[in-house]
Amino acid sequence: MKGFSFPIFKTKQEEGEKFQLEDPVQRRKYFDCKAGVEIEKLRVFLEQGNTFVGFLLGPKNSGKGTYTKLFMEAVGAERVAHISVGDIVRSIDADARNPTKKAALVAFLGRRYRGFIAFDKIIEVLAGRDTTTLVPTEVILALVEREIERLGRKAVFVDGFPRNLDQVSYSLYFRTLIGYRDDPDFFVFINVPEIIIDERMRSRVVCGSCQSPRNLKLLRTKEIGYDEGKKEFYLLCDNPSCEGFGKNRMVAKEGDELGIEAIRERIEVDKKVMEVLMDLQGVPKIFLRNAVPVEVASEYIDDYEITPAYRYEWDGELNKVRVIEESWVVEDDDGLPSYSLLPAAVAVSLIKQTAQVLGL
Ligand SMILES: [Zn+2]
């Protein structure tokens, strides 16, 4: 994002082990090695019944969900939750078609909703039958509150709120509105160069059975296939609990070939919201940076924290696919050649800074 210089968070070790960050067992060791002290402090904080509200702010597809899931993996999923406002609103669409669930929803909104738009109208909007009216913020707040009640008392990362400038001022009082009166809250700003978002979208693929997301270029599976007819390489699902394990050809979603331009409008709104909140005083801020300029990388990060890129060649003689791993250098939004950090490295920065803003 132009105009913002986020500090680079140092995760480099003077000397140490190397870790395979795609492997859950190694990743556990990596987290303990690089942020063990902070993880322990956060665990104690949460075990004592404390919570927090962290607002994730970053452009669409900047990895908000991934970073939170890794935070939960490191600190403990039983006391931390990720709330996606978009998912909540979408799930209401299904609820509204089920008579029992719809009745429960209507009863809940009847108790909690205060706003200017008539009640029947809201149900229409939520059910997706009226696509011209936006879901009012008052309704979103009520729905988030319902989700928080359902989750029980946990620390939460909120993804998708504030979604636009009209919701910004609500976010300042959000913790009061959802009943977390004295809990600390903070903003998590995520900076990812556009070119990285673009590549993530263009090369992403999913398994048709288990929906596991992967990336042909940036996050491969173990087994790669080659289609001789189409002269195309493809990933084979490697989720052990999937019925298509080792055989399902992972496929791209329609529209992804357009990359970031397909979501340009959303990206610009997300940036604007970040820009406004960046100037806000009185709420602690966490800065996550996905890209590190090549020229200073060796000072700040370890080699194995860098996202590699893969390409493939077909070896006709051996009758198999050759995988070539290369370092991936992209220009960040200021034009500086940069590396992209693997998600676990960004999560370490999130863990350390969260402990810091909570004063642990
Ligand atoms: Zn699968």
Side-chain angles (χ1 to χ4, degrees):
M1 182 171 302
K2 278 202 168 64
F4 296 128
S5 56
F6 279 33
I8 305 176
F9 198 86
K10 195 168 180 165
T11 55
K12 188 183 175 66
Q13 275 181 304
E14 283 326 314
E15 246 169 82
E17 276 177 84
K18 276 181 182 273
F19 301 93
Q20 280 285 342
L21 299 185
E22 306 308 326
D23 172 351
V25 177
Q26 295 241 341
R27 193 159 63 228
R28 174 81 257 163
K29 288 186 186 154
Y30 166 77
F31 284 141
D32 287 337
C33 169
K34 295 222 166 171
V37 176
E38 289 83 1
I39 288 171
E40 193 45 40
K41 284 179 180 170
L42 284 163
R43 280 208 182 118
V44 172
F45 172 83
L46 295 166
E47 269 163 25
Q48 289 170 343
N50 300 301
T51 61
F52 59 76
V53 181
F55 294 94
L56 301 164
L57 302 164
K60 191 175 165 73
N61 294 333
S62 56
K64 286 175 273 198
T66 311
Y67 301 145
T68 323
K69 282 187 188 107
L70 288 168
F71 182 99
M72 289 158 69
E73 183 185 300
V75 172
E78 53 298 319
R79 291 191 173 83
V80 187
H82 175 247
I83 294 182
S84 160
V85 175
D87 286 353
I88 293 174
V89 172
R90 276 186 292 276
S91 74
I92 297 299
D93 186 12
D95 279 14
R97 268 176 287 195
N98 172 319
T100 320
K101 286 184 173 171
K102 185 177 170 180
L105 173 68
V106 170
F108 174 83
L109 288 177
R111 286 198 309 278
R112 296 291 176 84
Y113 167 69
R114 292 174 168 185
F116 293 103
I117 297 182
F119 209 66
D120 312 345
K121 177 94 176 159
I122 284 165
I123 300 293
E124 295 278 300
V125 174
L126 289 172
R129 284 187 293 272
D130 175 350
T131 51
T132 54
T133 311
L134 288 171
V135 181
T137 302
E138 294 82 2
V139 176
I140 290 176
L141 288 169
L143 294 174
V144 170
E145 200 178 341
R146 187 168 80 139
E147 179 69 7
I148 284 175
E149 257 178 33
R150 199 181 62 76
L151 289 166
R153 198 173 163 81
K154 286 186 177 185
V156 290
F157 283 105
V158 179
D159 176 353
F161 193 91
R163 185 174 159 78
N164 53 47
L165 292 176
D166 295 342
Q167 291 181 345
V168 163
S169 54
Y170 286 92
S171 70
L172 310 184
Y173 302 99
F174 188 88
R175 62 178 175 172
T176 311
L177 296 169
I178 61 175
Y180 277 37
R181 280 161 202 281
D182 300 320
D183 299 36
D185 59 354
F186 52 86
F187 290 120
V188 181
F189 293 92
I190 304 171
N191 177 295
V192 180
E194 290 201 352
I195 200 160
I196 292 175
I197 296 176
D198 189 59
E199 196 61 65
R200 281 181 184 165
M201 290 179 70
R202 284 175 194 278
S203 314
R204 78 179 162 192
V205 288
V206 291
C207 168
S209 307
C210 69
Q211 306 300 320
S212 284
R214 287 289 184 278
N215 193 295
L216 197 58
K217 182 170 169 182
L218 304 172
L219 185 60
R220 71 176 182 102
T221 52
K222 196 159 173 278
E223 301 296 330
I224 317 292
Y226 179 59
D227 185 324
E228 291 234 49
K230 290 187 182 163
K231 302 256 178 278
E232 260 176 23
F233 295 95
Y234 55 87
L235 304 182
L236 288 159
C237 179
D238 64 356
N239 171 6
S241 55
C242 175
E243 58 183 20
F245 175 73
K247 7 179 244 274
N248 268 16
R249 185 190 287 208
M250 302 183 90
V251 290
K253 274 195 217 153
E254 211 182 301
D256 275 355
E257 71 281 0
L258 297 169
I260 196 170
E261 293 316 317
I263 55 165
R264 174 54 64 193
E265 230 174 295
R266 180 75 250 152
I267 294 273
E268 293 306 324
V269 174
D270 291 341
K271 280 189 187 175
K272 194 76 203 154
V273 169
M274 280 175 84
E275 211 175 296
V276 168
L277 288 174
M278 202 74 102
D279 287 334
L280 182 78
Q281 307 297 309
V283 182
K285 303 182 183 91
I286 285 176
F287 299 98
L288 300 183
R289 222 183 128 113
N290 173 282
V292 176
V294 171
E295 58 176 14
V296 297
S298 63
E299 252 173 78
Y300 289 97
I301 53 170
D302 285 313
D303 289 350
Y304 63 85
E305 295 178 310
I306 296 170
T307 306
Y310 300 100
R311 65 187 172 84
Y312 312 99
E313 278 172 7
W314 178 243
D315 187 328
E317 270 171 44
L318 287 173
N319 211 26
K320 63 177 236 191
V321 177
R322 233 194 329 257
V323 178
I324 296 133
E325 187 179 319
E326 300 170 319
S327 78
W328 187 44
V329 177
V330 293
E331 280 191 1
D332 73 5
D333 294 347
D334 297 318
L336 282 177
S338 302
Y339 293 126
S340 172
L341 289 172
L342 283 169
V346 181
V348 163
S349 166
L350 175 60
I351 291 164
K352 285 183 174 264
Q353 292 186 66
T354 303
Q356 206 173 30
V357 300
L358 294 173
L360 305 179

